[in-house]
Amino acid sequence: MTGEKSADEPVRLLLVEDHAAFRQALAFVLSRQPCFEVVAQAGTLDGARAAIGRGIDVALVDLMLPDGNGADLIAELRETNPSVRVLVLSASLGEENLSRAREAGADGVLDKTVSPGEIAETVRRLRSG
């Protein structure tokens, strides 16, 4: 057994976003697609850390969280699951934050203002390699 997912298995998502309304709306939109399963949501780094062991395929991570920077979570996600893909989804995309996210190993970066369709398409691309 290789641990790879078959094409018909949903992509398991972790959403890390401190704005609950945005996070819940995103979870709703993504979970309505047959290829995605939102397995955990968190509004803080601590909440996200509690979900790390849930077999996450793709984590969507905000950078500015109440208890720290989401970039700090990326290395922890990768330690637990080296194949996890991380999409930074943030409104705080200044050069310092972008550099920090890239150095931490983010696979992609999107501004929160993009459409839900663009987010979904980016998650699909990240998961497929």
Side-chain angles (χ1 to χ4, degrees), residues 32-55:
R32 308 250 326 142
Q33 303 210 19
C35 59
F36 296 139
E37 178 184 0
V38 178
V39 296
Q41 298 182 45
T44 63
L45 288 176
D46 283 343
R49 287 178 177 122
I52 285 179
R54 292 192 175 180

Side-chain angles (χ1 to χ4, degrees), residues 13 15 21-38 41 114-121 124:
L13 303 173
L15 306 182
F22 181 81
R23 183 180 69 241
Q24 292 164 358
L26 184 59
F28 177 78
V29 169
L30 293 175
S31 66
R32 308 250 326 142
Q33 303 210 19
C35 59
F36 296 139
E37 178 184 0
V38 178
Q41 298 182 45
V114 301
S115 72
E118 188 171 345
I119 294 169
E121 183 56 35
R124 280 189 205 90

Side-chain angles (χ1 to χ4, degrees), residues 5-16:
K5 295 177 76 69
S6 70
D8 59 342
E9 289 183 77
V11 177
R12 296 170 52 88
L13 303 173
L14 165 63
L15 306 182
V16 184

Side-chain angles (χ1 to χ4, degrees), residues 33-87:
Q33 303 210 19
C35 59
F36 296 139
E37 178 184 0
V38 178
V39 296
Q41 298 182 45
T44 63
L45 288 176
D46 283 343
R49 287 178 177 122
I52 285 179
R54 292 192 175 180
I56 306 301
D57 298 313
V58 179
L60 288 80
V61 179
D62 188 11
L63 293 178
M64 303 309 291
L65 298 167
D67 56 346
N69 192 300
D72 296 334
L73 182 65
I74 297 171
E76 294 174 46
L77 286 164
R78 294 222 185 268
E79 269 182 40
T80 303
N81 179 1
S83 66
V84 71
R85 300 287 183 232
V86 180
L87 174 61

Side-chain angles (χ1 to χ4, degrees), residues 88-112:
V88 170
L89 187 61
S90 184
S92 303
L93 294 179
E95 190 54 42
E96 183 177 329
N97 276 330
L98 283 173
S99 293
R100 189 168 177 188
R102 286 186 195 117
E103 288 172 15
D107 296 294
V109 177
L110 288 177
D111 190 285
K112 280 184 187 178

